[in-house]
Amino acid sequence: MISIANPIYDVVFKYLMEDERIARTILSALLKKDIVHVEMRPHEFINDKGTSLTMLRIDFGATVREADGSEHLVLIELQKTWVETETLRFRQYLGLQYENPRNMAEDGKHAVPMVAVYLLGHRVGDIEEPVLYVNHHAMDYNDQPVTKGMPNPFVESLTHSSIIVQIPLLHGHVHNRLERLLSIFDQTQKDSEDFRILKIDDTKYSDDVEMERIITRLTQAAASSEMRRRINIEAEFMSVIERRETEILNRDYELAKQKVQLQEQSAQLEEQSAQLEEQSAQLEEQSAQLEEQSVQLRKSVQMLYRASVSPEDIAAQLGMDLPSVQSLLK
């Protein structure tokens, strides 16, 4: 049995993924693709000053080689949290990536295809699979798969696939390459006296060069006093900051909802104001028409009177009462 640093902590996991070969190994297994090159892009990560303690987010630009030998770039948005987190936090970060101009393809018309990876330190409902793949499929109206013209860069720009890893369910699941790699997250292997350390049987991986590289790097992290200090800080502050940031996020979300409601109410008031203005204009037009009719009626009455038609006959001809006719003759 040997001691390795617990990669459930962000500082350890980031240190692990900074090794390009290890990052390729883990991401290739997650995507079930041959990744020939991977680059860690600018990202947010936990620090030891407590100024940006949050879920770990790492962006990777990965060059994927397909079975036919063709290669293309894929954006991998990896988000990791070891405490239960509101899904809104994940969605907001993805939203930022969708609107980020640097994630557009070289043609400037389409976005680089994206895969979202979530490493969760908690379970998701009653789902029992340790690793869940959620892929998008193009279907027609009759729910039949659309294959002609697919994959299409326009469609790929607007949708993305997701991979969800439930770390608590990794224990006892080593049935494939990915689960073998992820077994280093198995928290049942925690040292009973030091939560920062996992005790693993390295002989189980003696036939696997890539696993030996991962274990060696985690062993180096475990031997680092600076790494242990940073883990302590992370463990101490993470739960407090997580709650605070979630409260702030929920507050901002409620404020955003209220803003939308106010905008809708403002739009309704503007619409009502416009309707009132239109009604006022109609009333003015009707008033003008009535005034014009009154002028025409007066002219008609006076013309008949000048033609020696008596007021009584004028009233009879025009269907008016005599006092109204007499008032128009004044």
Side-chain angles (χ1 to χ4, degrees):
M1 302 293 290
I2 64 170
S3 298
I4 64 172
N6 190 345
I8 195 71
Y9 294 99
D10 293 350
V11 289
V12 178
F13 183 73
K14 176 180 176 291
Y15 174 76
L16 183 68
M17 297 299 282
E18 284 174 340
D19 183 299
E20 197 264 351
R21 179 172 164 179
I22 291 176
R24 275 194 293 113
T25 299
I26 294 176
L27 295 176
S28 293
L30 279 166
L31 270 64
K32 295 187 284 188
K33 296 281 188 180
D34 180 17
I35 296 180
V36 295
H37 176 69
V38 65
E39 177 185 7
M40 187 181 289
R41 294 187 169 194
H43 57 280
E44 296 179 24
F45 56 89
I46 197 147
N47 64 34
D48 60 359
K49 296 180 181 179
T51 56
S52 62
L53 288 171
T54 182
M55 71 176 69
L56 177 68
R57 304 177 177 105
I58 309 179
D59 305 338
F60 295 97
T63 302
V64 175
R65 179 180 294 146
E66 300 293 350
D68 61 2
S70 62
E71 297 182 358
H72 61 93
L73 182 64
V74 172
L75 180 63
I76 301 173
E77 299 296 333
L78 188 150
Q79 300 189 60
K80 182 182 107 24
T81 177
W82 55 281
V83 294
E84 197 155 350
T85 305
E86 295 289 338
T87 55
L88 182 60
R89 295 164 61 82
F90 294 120
R91 288 172 60 86
Q92 285 195 327
Y93 187 64
L94 282 176
L96 292 174
Q97 301 314 303
Y98 265 107
E99 67 182 21
N100 194 332
R102 70 182 175 88
N103 294 332
M104 296 297 292
E106 292 183 357
D107 61 9
K109 298 179 180 178
H110 304 105
V112 176
M114 182 171 69
V115 178
V117 178
Y118 305 100
L119 299 180
L120 306 180
H122 59 87
R123 293 193 57 172
V124 179
D126 296 325
I127 299 175
E128 296 182 352
E129 293 297 324
V131 183
L132 189 67
Y133 287 83
V134 184
N135 299 315
H136 60 270
H137 301 282
M139 313 291 286
D140 64 14
Y141 181 80
N142 298 313
D143 294 330
Q144 297 301 311
V146 175
T147 57
K148 185 177 180 180
M150 300 296 292
N152 177 275
F154 179 82
V155 176
E156 295 296 311
S157 296
L158 300 176
T159 57
H160 71 272
S161 299
S162 300
I163 304 171
I164 301 172
V165 178
Q166 300 185 85
I167 293 175
L169 296 180
L170 292 174
H171 176 62
H173 287 80
V174 186
H175 303 128
N176 53 53
R177 177 61 174 164
L178 175 59
E179 290 173 353
R180 183 178 176 86
L181 289 168
L182 295 178
S183 66
I184 58 170
F185 284 93
D186 186 351
Q187 295 302 294
T188 63
Q189 303 177 107
K190 281 191 297 188
D191 187 293
S192 59
E193 298 180 356
D194 190 345
F195 53 81
R196 302 166 299 180
I197 299 298
L198 298 183
K199 291 287 189 179
I200 67 167
D201 182 1
D202 61 327
T203 60
K204 295 189 299 183
Y205 309 109
S206 58
D207 60 339
D208 191 327
V209 175
E210 299 305 329
M211 282 299 301
E212 285 187 341
R213 185 180 183 90
I214 291 172
I215 291 170
T216 297
R217 190 161 178 85
L218 291 176
T219 302
Q220 293 170 349
S224 169
S225 59
E226 173 61 17
M227 184 66 70
R228 291 195 180 207
R229 184 186 71 83
R230 296 175 67 190
I231 294 174
N232 287 341
I233 293 173
E234 178 179 340
E236 182 179 352
F237 287 101
M238 176 59 87
S239 58
V240 175
I241 299 300
E242 184 76 19
R243 286 196 299 271
R244 186 202 68 181
E245 290 192 346
T246 299
E247 289 172 359
I248 292 173
L249 188 65
N250 289 335
R251 183 201 63 191
D252 291 344
Y253 177 66
E254 289 300 322
L255 288 174
K257 280 204 309 183
Q258 292 174 8
K259 182 179 179 181
V260 170
Q261 291 172 350
L262 288 173
Q263 289 174 341
E264 290 177 351
Q265 292 173 358
S266 176
Q268 291 173 351
L269 289 173
E270 289 179 3
E271 184 179 354
Q272 292 172 358
S273 176
Q275 291 174 348
L276 289 173
E277 288 179 3
E278 184 178 353
Q279 292 173 357
S280 176
Q282 292 174 348
L283 289 173
E284 288 179 3
E285 184 179 353
Q286 292 173 359
S287 177
Q289 291 174 349
L290 289 172
E291 186 175 347
E292 184 179 353
Q293 291 172 0
S294 178
V295 171
Q296 292 297 329
L297 183 60
R298 180 183 292 274
K299 288 181 179 178
S300 298
V301 169
Q302 291 178 351
M303 182 182 68
L304 289 171
Y305 186 71
R306 285 195 296 270
S308 301
V309 179
S310 67
E312 291 79 5
D313 291 339
I314 294 174
Q317 289 181 26
L318 299 180
M320 300 173 59
D321 58 77
L322 184 59
S324 296
V325 171
Q326 291 173 338
S327 66
L328 292 174
L329 292 173
K330 294 179 180 180

